[in-house]
Amino acid sequence: MDLSWYDYTLIILAGTLAGVINTLAGNGSAITLAIFTELLGLPGNVANGTNRIGVLCQTWAGSFVFYRNGKLELSRAKLNIILTCVGAIVGVAIAVVISNEHFMVIYKYLMLAVLAILLVRPKRWLDETDDQTEVSPWIAVPLFLLLGFYGGFIQMGMGIFYLAAVVLISRYSIIEGNALKTFVVGVYTLIVLLIFHYKGLVRWDLGLIMAIGQTAGGYFTAAFASKYPGASKVAYVLLLVIVVIALYSLFFRS
């Protein structure tokens, strides 16, 4: 595949935008997957696997910045991380052999539920982290296994769903929730990428080009979110905008 300078520029810019969106809200993979399938013509499962390269680089860069700035707290999240990774392994095991197209029906109604939550309880998204909250295992186990499964299977929208879970149920602030989300996605994405690679479903050349932009977007957005006092409001507004755009695309342009 011969790419022009215009193609390279578009891929890197799209990756940068996706990195920003993924780090501060979620659903940036809607952009990168569209580039891989519509512009570069990759089959769905190869695009799914190739997309994980940029996600991995972006999340590792963002996690480093969040940790350095004291926004990444892992002591409360050990069970969540393990459950999400287990679910992701199951999800990717299925993703390498079957299409994920029928999951889009579920995806758009999940996004609709997130929009309702964003609008009904906006103040909750701006609260600080409540370190005293303990989530019942009866809720945590199925919830984070399912989130991991979804992330391993398709990734698109995972950040939004995971962020909603840790903010509304585990009572993290939206910024510390984003930091945890970034780290967790980075951990399971390494496993998922290795599985896709083993199955021959990764285009490393294209994925690494996209990763240039995603890494930059993840790094600088994490720095902004960690230091800017109004980052919580910016993250909430961006999350709301991303969900509305996704729903418009899903319900009126499909």
Side-chain angles (χ1 to χ4, degrees):
M1 181 184 299
D2 293 326
L3 299 178
S4 67
W5 67 266
Y6 172 82
D7 294 323
Y8 284 113
T9 302
L10 181 60
I11 293 169
I12 293 172
L13 288 176
T16 303
L17 179 59
V20 171
I21 292 172
N22 280 335
T23 304
L24 208 55
N27 209 43
S29 288
I31 298 171
T32 54
L33 286 171
I35 292 293
F36 285 135
T37 56
E38 302 302 324
L39 175 66
L40 302 174
L42 297 184
N45 55 356
V46 177
N48 194 358
T50 304
N51 184 53
R52 309 305 175 119
I53 300 172
V55 172
L56 181 67
C57 296
Q58 159 216 302
T59 52
W60 282 18
S63 295
F64 169 75
V65 176
F66 278 127
Y67 180 78
R68 186 179 62 184
N69 291 321
K71 296 299 181 182
L72 181 57
E73 172 56 53
L74 300 176
S75 59
R76 293 177 55 212
K78 293 177 182 177
L79 178 62
N80 297 1
I81 295 170
I82 294 171
L83 291 170
T84 306
C85 289
V86 171
I89 292 171
V90 177
V92 71
I94 296 175
V96 297
V97 295
I98 67 171
S99 169
N100 56 41
E101 292 178 1
H102 59 288
F103 264 68
M104 296 306 293
V105 177
I106 300 173
Y107 167 71
K108 67 181 182 180
Y109 288 107
L110 286 174
M111 293 292 280
L112 192 60
V114 170
L115 177 62
I117 294 170
L118 282 166
L119 295 176
V120 170
R121 300 189 63 191
K123 292 183 178 180
R124 172 66 198 97
W125 292 85
L126 303 178
D127 288 345
E128 295 299 317
T129 297
D130 181 1
D131 293 325
Q132 305 304 314
T133 298
E134 293 186 9
V135 182
S136 167
W138 294 102
I139 297 175
V141 172
L143 175 63
F144 290 102
L145 281 174
L146 284 172
L147 284 169
F149 174 85
Y150 182 88
F153 191 82
I154 189 172
Q155 182 60 35
M156 186 170 66
M158 166 62 174
I160 292 177
F161 303 140
Y162 190 91
L163 185 59
V166 297
V167 168
L168 300 176
I169 297 175
S170 300
R171 309 291 286 184
Y172 282 79
S173 71
I174 192 170
I175 297 303
E176 292 190 3
N178 266 312
L180 178 60
K181 172 204 73 183
T182 300
F183 178 80
V184 170
V185 173
V187 171
Y188 78 67
T189 296
L190 176 59
I191 303 170
V192 167
L193 178 58
L194 291 174
I195 295 173
F196 271 112
H197 174 71
Y198 176 74
K199 293 292 185 177
L201 299 174
V202 177
R203 279 289 304 268
W204 284 93
D205 53 343
L206 300 177
L208 288 171
I209 296 169
M210 184 74 77
I212 295 171
Q214 285 186 258
T215 303
Y219 183 92
F220 290 110
T221 305
F224 164 80
S226 300
K227 297 178 179 179
Y228 179 60
S232 293
K233 291 183 180 179
V234 174
Y236 174 78
V237 172
L238 179 61
L239 183 60
L240 187 59
V241 169
I242 294 301
V243 171
V244 170
I245 292 174
L247 285 170
Y248 173 78
S249 177
L250 289 166
F251 282 95
F252 298 104
R253 298 188 64 184
S254 56

